[in-house]
Amino acid sequence: MTVRIIGVPTDYGQDRRGVDMGPSAIRYGGLAEALASAGAEVVDDGDLAVPRAEERDPDSRQPSEGNAKFLRETEEVTTALAGRVADAVGAGETPLVLGGDHSVAIGSLKGSARDAEIGAVWFDAHGDYNTPTTSPSGNVHGMPLAAALGYDDWDGVEWANAPGLREENVAYVGLRALDDTERAAIRDSEMTAYTMSDIDERGITDVVEAALSVASAGVDGIHVSLDMDWLDPGIAPGVGTPVRGGVTYREAHHAMELVAAADAVRSMEVVEVNPVLDESNETAALATELVASAFGKRIL
């Protein structure tokens, strides 16, 4: 297997500065070595050229209704990233996108779904299913799944929509922090949502296997989105939107081992590592470990 690393050093999608340094921190945490130890051939494509947020006006372009900051810049990054991801998949490689904030997932999904039907497993504390009119903040890192699926305000936004991704093939794992309108929208959708309560009651194995089954049903492959705030902040402190009560170290590793065992990953991203908020690069190093597990690294 060849894994192509694509860095996206953007913090357009959220207010906490520093997440744009995530790709560098993850690489510094030993990503290439960890992937090689999993048996992967590694090609590092470098980083997309992303202008600094401080050099841009977040309100230079707004949607017709509501608020979405850095919308112009997000479109530019999405378009460039989608092309890189699609090229990697077309070459028989597995793209691994390093964020950056979670808005980069719009490009990952669009690229992975080009000329294919895909599913997605969303490991995250948050639903990322807001729209410009429902978002309390206007931060696009809370909107990527809604954007890719063309939900509500995002319907017909061609640069953001991933037509090869359908709600019935999307599964959340580990939700524990939702806005009220987002909660209602997820309930009304055809997506499958497993909360932390489900993990408590059923165990990580049952939940992740069920999520993988949903995502992989009748598709060409799955996209795995790993937001590091999915983990408990006690072990992953370097994230911009920490929520107590996340998965443990072993639960996270086992989840990624199950991902590898499913042998269906078409593309993956790891996002929201913020070195400014981290402790001794702990979160970035953990990200590299989890990615290695997702690509097949085992104890024995």
Side-chain angles (χ1 to χ4, degrees):
M1 175 194 300
T2 299
V3 177
R4 181 168 293 273
I5 299 169
I6 306 169
V8 190
T10 175
D11 58 358
Y12 298 139
Q14 65 147 291
D15 292 329
R16 302 292 292 273
R17 301 280 76 87
V19 72
D20 57 319
M21 295 185 284
S24 293
I26 295 170
R27 287 188 179 99
Y28 182 76
L31 178 62
E33 295 83 359
L35 285 169
S37 71
E41 180 180 341
V42 182
V43 178
D44 195 329
D45 220 19
D47 290 346
L48 293 184
V50 177
R52 295 175 59 206
E54 292 81 3
E55 299 170 353
R56 298 294 185 99
D57 177 4
D59 301 314
S60 64
R61 191 177 85 197
Q62 282 290 321
S64 57
E65 295 184 33
N67 179 26
K69 300 174 185 175
F70 294 108
L71 195 59
R72 183 188 306 277
E73 290 75 15
T74 301
E75 178 180 352
E76 292 170 356
V77 169
T78 293
T79 301
L81 177 58
R84 293 269 197 103
V85 168
D87 288 347
V89 171
E93 301 167 340
T94 304
L96 172 62
V97 176
L98 310 180
D101 68 80
H102 216 159
S103 68
V104 305
I106 306 172
S108 301
L109 288 165
K110 188 171 183 65
S112 188
R114 187 174 294 176
D115 302 321
E117 300 291 323
I118 68 168
V121 181
W122 211 259
F123 295 96
D124 202 332
H126 307 90
D128 297 343
Y129 208 60
N130 270 305
T131 69
T133 54
T134 65
S135 171
S137 65
N139 292 331
V140 182
H141 78 150
M143 309 184 199
L145 202 45
L149 287 166
Y151 169 67
D152 199 24
D153 297 342
W154 291 104
D155 183 27
V157 181
E158 186 176 351
W159 64 263
N161 298 163
L165 177 69
R166 298 187 304 274
E167 286 184 352
E168 56 264 37
N169 289 119
V170 175
Y172 290 104
V173 176
L175 289 177
R176 60 189 187 278
L178 298 170
D179 299 314
D180 290 341
T181 54
E182 192 179 36
R183 182 180 295 107
I186 291 172
R187 283 176 175 164
D188 291 341
S189 76
E190 295 183 61
M191 296 184 291
T192 300
Y194 298 108
T195 68
M196 283 305 302
S197 294
D198 292 310
I199 292 174
D200 292 339
E201 293 170 7
R202 297 171 54 174
I204 193 70
T205 301
D206 188 29
V207 166
V208 173
E209 286 181 341
L212 288 165
S213 178
V214 167
S216 61
V219 300
D220 299 305
I222 63 173
H223 176 74
V224 174
S225 190
L226 174 59
D227 188 323
M228 290 302 290
D229 69 26
W230 177 58
L231 288 91
D232 191 84
I235 57 171
V239 297
T241 50
V243 184
R244 290 195 297 177
V247 297
T248 66
Y249 178 86
R250 268 311 311 161
E251 285 175 329
H253 266 290
H254 187 52
M256 294 303 106
E257 289 163 359
L258 293 170
V259 166
D263 194 26
V265 176
R266 182 178 176 89
S267 54
M268 181 175 180
E269 75 220 348
V270 57
V271 299
E272 298 288 354
V273 171
N274 189 327
V276 173
L277 304 173
D278 208 0
E279 300 172 5
S280 303
N281 214 41
E282 179 180 357
T283 306
L286 177 53
T288 70
E289 293 181 29
L290 295 177
V291 167
S293 287
F295 283 97
K297 185 175 182 180
R298 293 291 179 271
I299 296 171
L300 286 175

Short mmCIF file of all heavy atoms in Angstrom, two decimals, residues 11-12 17 50-58 60 70 73:
data_model
loop_
_atom_site.label_atom_id
_atom_site.label_comp_id
_atom_site.label_asym_id
_atom_site.label_seq_id
_atom_site.Cartn_x
_atom_site.Cartn_y
_atom_site.Cartn_z
N ASP A 11 -6.22 27.33 9.22
CA ASP A 11 -7.04 27.55 10.42
C ASP A 11 -8.20 28.48 10.09
O ASP A 11 -8.73 29.16 10.96
CB ASP A 11 -6.20 28.10 11.59
CG ASP A 11 -5.49 29.40 11.27
OD1 ASP A 11 -5.60 29.89 10.12
OD2 ASP A 11 -4.81 29.95 12.16
N TYR A 12 -8.62 28.49 8.82
CA TYR A 12 -9.76 29.31 8.42
C TYR A 12 -11.05 28.90 9.12
O TYR A 12 -11.94 29.71 9.34
CB TYR A 12 -10.00 29.20 6.91
CG TYR A 12 -8.86 29.68 6.04
CD1 TYR A 12 -8.50 28.98 4.90
CD2 TYR A 12 -8.16 30.85 6.34
CE1 TYR A 12 -7.47 29.41 4.08
CE2 TYR A 12 -7.13 31.29 5.53
CZ TYR A 12 -6.79 30.57 4.40
OH TYR A 12 -5.78 30.99 3.60
N ARG A 17 -6.22 30.13 16.96
CA ARG A 17 -5.04 30.12 16.10
C ARG A 17 -4.07 29.02 16.54
O ARG A 17 -3.98 28.67 17.70
CB ARG A 17 -4.33 31.47 16.15
CG ARG A 17 -5.16 32.68 15.72
CD ARG A 17 -5.25 32.82 14.20
NE ARG A 17 -6.15 31.90 13.54
CZ ARG A 17 -7.46 32.12 13.37
NH1 ARG A 17 -8.02 33.21 13.83
NH2 ARG A 17 -8.19 31.25 12.73
N VAL A 50 -1.23 27.75 1.49
CA VAL A 50 -2.41 28.32 2.13
C VAL A 50 -2.05 29.69 2.72
O VAL A 50 -1.24 29.76 3.65
CB VAL A 50 -2.94 27.40 3.25
CG1 VAL A 50 -4.12 28.04 3.95
CG2 VAL A 50 -3.32 26.03 2.68
N PRO A 51 -2.62 30.78 2.21
CA PRO A 51 -2.34 32.09 2.79
C PRO A 51 -2.75 32.15 4.26
O PRO A 51 -3.73 31.51 4.67
CB PRO A 51 -3.20 33.05 1.96
CG PRO A 51 -3.44 32.32 0.68
CD PRO A 51 -3.50 30.87 1.05
N ARG A 52 -2.01 32.89 5.05
CA ARG A 52 -2.31 33.01 6.48
C ARG A 52 -3.65 33.71 6.68
O ARG A 52 -3.99 34.67 5.98
CB ARG A 52 -1.20 33.77 7.19
CG ARG A 52 0.14 33.06 7.18
CD ARG A 52 1.21 33.94 7.80
NE ARG A 52 0.88 34.31 9.17
CZ ARG A 52 1.33 35.41 9.77
NH1 ARG A 52 2.09 36.26 9.11
NH2 ARG A 52 1.01 35.65 11.02
N ALA A 53 -4.38 33.25 7.68
CA ALA A 53 -5.69 33.84 7.97
C ALA A 53 -5.56 35.32 8.31
O ALA A 53 -6.45 36.13 7.98
CB ALA A 53 -6.35 33.09 9.12
N GLU A 54 -4.45 35.68 8.96
CA GLU A 54 -4.27 37.08 9.36
C GLU A 54 -4.12 38.01 8.15
O GLU A 54 -4.29 39.23 8.29
CB GLU A 54 -3.02 37.21 10.24
CG GLU A 54 -3.15 36.55 11.62
CD GLU A 54 -2.93 35.05 11.58
OE1 GLU A 54 -2.61 34.51 10.49
OE2 GLU A 54 -3.10 34.40 12.63
N GLU A 55 -3.84 37.45 6.99
CA GLU A 55 -3.67 38.25 5.78
C GLU A 55 -4.96 38.37 4.98
O GLU A 55 -4.98 39.04 3.94
CB GLU A 55 -2.58 37.61 4.89
CG GLU A 55 -1.21 37.54 5.55
CD GLU A 55 -0.23 36.70 4.75
OE1 GLU A 55 -0.68 36.06 3.75
OE2 GLU A 55 0.95 36.68 5.11
N ARG A 56 -6.01 37.74 5.44
CA ARG A 56 -7.27 37.74 4.70
C ARG A 56 -8.41 38.31 5.55
O ARG A 56 -8.37 38.27 6.78
CB ARG A 56 -7.63 36.31 4.27
CG ARG A 56 -6.60 35.66 3.32
CD ARG A 56 -6.56 36.38 1.98
NE ARG A 56 -5.68 35.72 1.03
CZ ARG A 56 -6.10 34.90 0.05
NH1 ARG A 56 -7.38 34.63 -0.07
NH2 ARG A 56 -5.23 34.36 -0.78
N ASP A 57 -9.44 38.78 4.88
CA ASP A 57 -10.64 39.29 5.54
C ASP A 57 -11.64 38.15 5.65
O ASP A 57 -12.09 37.62 4.63
CB ASP A 57 -11.23 40.43 4.71
CG ASP A 57 -12.54 40.97 5.28
OD1 ASP A 57 -12.96 40.51 6.37
OD2 ASP A 57 -13.15 41.84 4.63
N PRO A 58 -12.00 37.74 6.86
CA PRO A 58 -12.90 36.59 7.00
C PRO A 58 -14.29 36.82 6.42
O PRO A 58 -15.02 35.86 6.16
CB PRO A 58 -12.97 36.38 8.52
CG PRO A 58 -12.60 37.69 9.11
CD PRO A 58 -11.59 38.28 8.18
N SER A 60 -14.92 38.68 3.57
CA SER A 60 -14.83 39.22 2.22
C SER A 60 -15.91 38.65 1.30
O SER A 60 -16.33 39.28 0.35
CB SER A 60 -13.45 38.96 1.61
OG SER A 60 -13.23 37.56 1.47
N PHE A 70 -14.34 33.20 6.17
CA PHE A 70 -13.30 32.74 5.23
C PHE A 70 -13.88 31.82 4.16
O PHE A 70 -13.26 30.83 3.77
CB PHE A 70 -12.17 32.02 5.98
CG PHE A 70 -11.37 32.91 6.89
CD1 PHE A 70 -11.50 32.81 8.27
CD2 PHE A 70 -10.49 33.85 6.38
CE1 PHE A 70 -10.77 33.62 9.12
CE2 PHE A 70 -9.75 34.67 7.22
CZ PHE A 70 -9.89 34.56 8.60
N GLU A 73 -11.69 31.67 0.95
CA GLU A 73 -10.45 30.91 1.17
C GLU A 73 -10.74 29.41 1.33
O GLU A 73 -9.97 28.56 0.84
CB GLU A 73 -9.73 31.43 2.41
CG GLU A 73 -9.13 32.81 2.25
CD GLU A 73 -10.16 33.94 2.29
OE1 GLU A 73 -11.31 33.69 2.72
OE2 GLU A 73 -9.83 35.07 1.88
#
